[in-house]
């Protein structure tokens, strides 16, 4: 089954063709990062306009790269939530028009479910159940993936996502948006113990996290040093931030593995590209004797292939929308939890 899939929830316009949820035939991305860089973050109105400009030629490119024609498409999948509303609506309306014109089913996909499904592309043998650590620019959560479309959020951040924490600290250090990857590169060779940074503990659910205190502490440290004209050892500060984020994620992941008894751990989302997090979850998986699935770097950040992968399983579960599908308007399709 060939699924034509669309992702436009933030600042990447993406169109892909995916076969049977596992084989990427094409995965085309038009990134807007260079435009939003100027403002230090995503400007929603600009994002929506750029999606409209990019999506039509990208769709043609995705079909051509896959070596298929419109007649070979069996269904259309699209990210319907969450995201910037104007941005999501561009993809949803394009997908609706495409599905209607082709006379094929329209499949709504939750963006986070898509990130999780990126692992099906990188690990063709991976099947639920498994535990997934989801770490992106907007979300940080531990998800129990009982089945392809049955997922429970076990815990998550109470405030900032891990990616938000990396990006805002990177911005104060003068790194261009989105600074997570630059901060990761800068941290290589730094001393993670040089700057003591807080590890937040939250009341209630032991699997919950908080990153806003870490973000504020790191930013205050930089501002205080600047005011006193003192130098900051930037590699060491970046290493300390990465270590604080990673250790918080790894300790919750270890607890969730013990609680659920799952024998497979997957990681998903843009922050899954982080070198320290990858190294530390690898060490955790070895220590606990669980199998680890990390997406290839190309499938960590936003892409449409992951939407096509999850779309296949949503289709098999009967989660097909009618042409009244609107962004955010189909919560019942994804169940209570995710
Ligand atoms: O999943 P994603 O592409 O978008 C959302 O759904 O939010 O994640 C983007 C996030 C950004 O915050 C970006 O800085 C971060 O992923 N990121 C990284 C790295 N590469 C991307 N954060 C830390 N280390 C990296 N190597
Ligand atoms: Zn994402």
């Amino acid at each position: 089954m060939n699924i034509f899939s669309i992702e436009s929830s933030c600042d990447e316009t993406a169109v892909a063709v995916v076969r049977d949820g596992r084989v990427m035939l094409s995965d085309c991305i038009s990134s807007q990062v260079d435009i939003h860089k100027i403002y230090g973050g995503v400007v929603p109105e600009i994002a929506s306009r750029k999606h409209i400009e990019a999506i039509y030629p990208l769709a043609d490119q995705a079909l051509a790269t896959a070596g298929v024609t419109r007649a070979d498409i069996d269904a259309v999948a699209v990210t319907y939530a969450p995201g910037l509303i104007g941005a999501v609506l561009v993809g949803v309306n394009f997908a609706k028009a495409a599905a209607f014109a082709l006379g094929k089913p329209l499949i709504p996909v939750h963006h986070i479910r898509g990130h999780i499904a990126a692992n099906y592309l990188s690990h063709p043998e991976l099947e639920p159940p498994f535990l997934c650590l989801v770490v992106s620019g907007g979300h940080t959560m531990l998800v129990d993936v009982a089945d392809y479309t049955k997922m429970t959020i076990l815990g998550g951040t109470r405030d900032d996502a891990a990616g938000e924490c990396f990006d805002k600290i990177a911005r104060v250090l003068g790194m261009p948006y989105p600074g997570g990857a630059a901060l990761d590169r800068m941290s290589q060779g730094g001393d993670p113990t040089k700057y003591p940074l807080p590890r937040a503990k939250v009341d209630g659910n032991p699997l919950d996290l908080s990153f806003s205190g870490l973000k504020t502490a790191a930013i205050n440290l930089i501002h205080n040093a600047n005011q006193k004209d003192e130098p900051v050892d930037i590699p060491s500060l970046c290493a300390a931030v990465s270590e604080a984020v990673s250790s918080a994620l790894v300790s919750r992941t270890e607890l969730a593995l013990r609680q659920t008894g799952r024998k497979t751990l997957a990681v998903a989302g843009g922050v899954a590209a982080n070198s320290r997090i990858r190294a530390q979850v690898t060490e955790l998986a070895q220590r606990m004797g669980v199998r680890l699935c990390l997406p290839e770097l190309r499938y960590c950040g936003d892409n449409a292939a992951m939407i096509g992968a999850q779309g296949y399983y949503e289709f098999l579960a009967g989660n097909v929308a009618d042409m009244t599908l609107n962004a955010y308007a189909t919560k019942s399709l994804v169940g209570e939890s995710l």
Side-chain angles (χ1 to χ4, degrees):
M1 179 178 189
N2 291 330
I3 296 191
F4 183 63
S5 53
I6 292 143
E7 154 64 42
S8 69
S9 63
C10 191
D11 58 350
E12 330 269 3
T13 321
V15 186
V17 180
V18 178
R19 181 166 292 163
D20 297 334
R22 297 282 174 165
V23 185
M24 185 274 286
L25 301 184
S26 65
D27 185 26
C28 301
I29 301 183
S30 167
S31 175
Q32 306 176 1
V33 162
D34 286 343
I35 303 154
H36 299 294
K37 240 179 208 165
I38 303 164
Y39 306 97
V42 181
V43 183
E45 174 65 11
I46 296 176
S48 307
R49 285 167 186 268
K50 291 291 161 192
H51 284 310
I52 293 170
E53 286 172 19
I55 202 160
Y56 292 89
L58 210 60
D60 286 334
Q61 191 191 328
L63 290 176
T65 310
V68 300
T69 68
R70 293 176 191 197
D72 299 315
I73 298 301
D74 300 302
V76 180
V78 62
T79 301
Y80 77 95
L84 302 170
I85 188 71
V88 181
L89 276 169
V90 174
V92 166
N93 284 297
F94 183 84
K96 270 162 60 167
F100 188 71
L102 295 171
K104 299 294 179 187
L106 175 64
I107 308 166
V109 176
H110 192 283
H111 184 76
I112 299 302
R113 287 187 174 209
H115 271 303
I116 294 170
N119 283 286
Y120 303 140
L121 298 165
S122 293
H123 303 277
E125 71 297 341
L126 173 65
E127 289 178 5
F130 58 87
L131 180 78
C132 190
L133 170 65
V134 180
V135 271
S136 75
H139 294 80
T140 303
M141 53 176 78
L142 278 156
V143 180
D144 186 52
V145 184
D147 202 348
Y148 289 104
T149 56
K150 289 193 184 65
M151 302 173 205
T152 310
I153 299 167
L154 304 176
T157 180
R158 298 266 179 94
D159 38 60
D160 293 330
E164 152 80 14
C165 179
F166 279 129
D167 290 349
K168 291 292 149 54
I169 295 169
R171 186 164 82 180
V172 176
L173 287 171
M175 297 169 188
Y177 166 85
L183 188 148
D184 187 12
R185 279 193 299 276
M186 186 59 82
S187 74
Q188 310 298 324
D191 172 6
T193 62
K194 179 160 176 178
Y195 295 105
L197 291 172
R199 266 57 164 179
K201 288 196 179 65
V202 291
D203 286 340
N205 184 354
L207 295 178
D208 278 353
L209 303 117
S210 162
F211 289 116
S212 66
L214 170 64
K215 181 178 81 174
T216 307
I219 290 174
N220 283 347
L221 192 150
I222 301 160
H223 284 158
N224 285 340
N226 288 348
Q227 280 160 4
K228 293 181 197 157
D229 236 356
E230 287 170 4
V232 176
D233 175 353
I234 295 178
S236 293
L237 181 61
C238 292
V241 169
S242 303
E243 178 61 31
V245 171
S246 186
S247 62
L249 294 171
V250 167
S251 67
R252 299 326 188 273
T253 306
E254 175 168 357
L255 189 57
L257 282 168
R258 291 194 195 288
Q259 275 184 12
T260 58
R262 295 295 186 213
K263 291 280 166 258
T264 302
L265 170 66
V267 188
V271 182
N274 183 270
S275 59
R276 190 169 296 258
I277 295 171
R278 288 175 93 88
Q280 292 192 359
V281 291
T282 303
E283 188 273 326
L284 172 73
Q286 280 165 359
R287 183 157 50 81
M288 293 190 69
V290 302
R291 188 171 145 238
L292 176 67
C293 291
L294 290 166
E296 294 156 72
L297 293 184
R298 65 176 300 174
Y299 295 133
C300 288
D302 290 346
N303 64 86
M306 68 185 197
I307 302 303
Q310 181 62 22
Y312 177 68
Y313 295 103
E314 298 290 348
F315 178 81
L316 294 184
N319 293 337
V320 174
D322 61 27
M323 292 302 155
T324 61
L325 172 71
N326 229 328
Y328 287 94
T330 54
K331 209 159 185 298
S332 60
L333 282 173
V334 294
E336 291 303 305
S337 38
L338 182 69

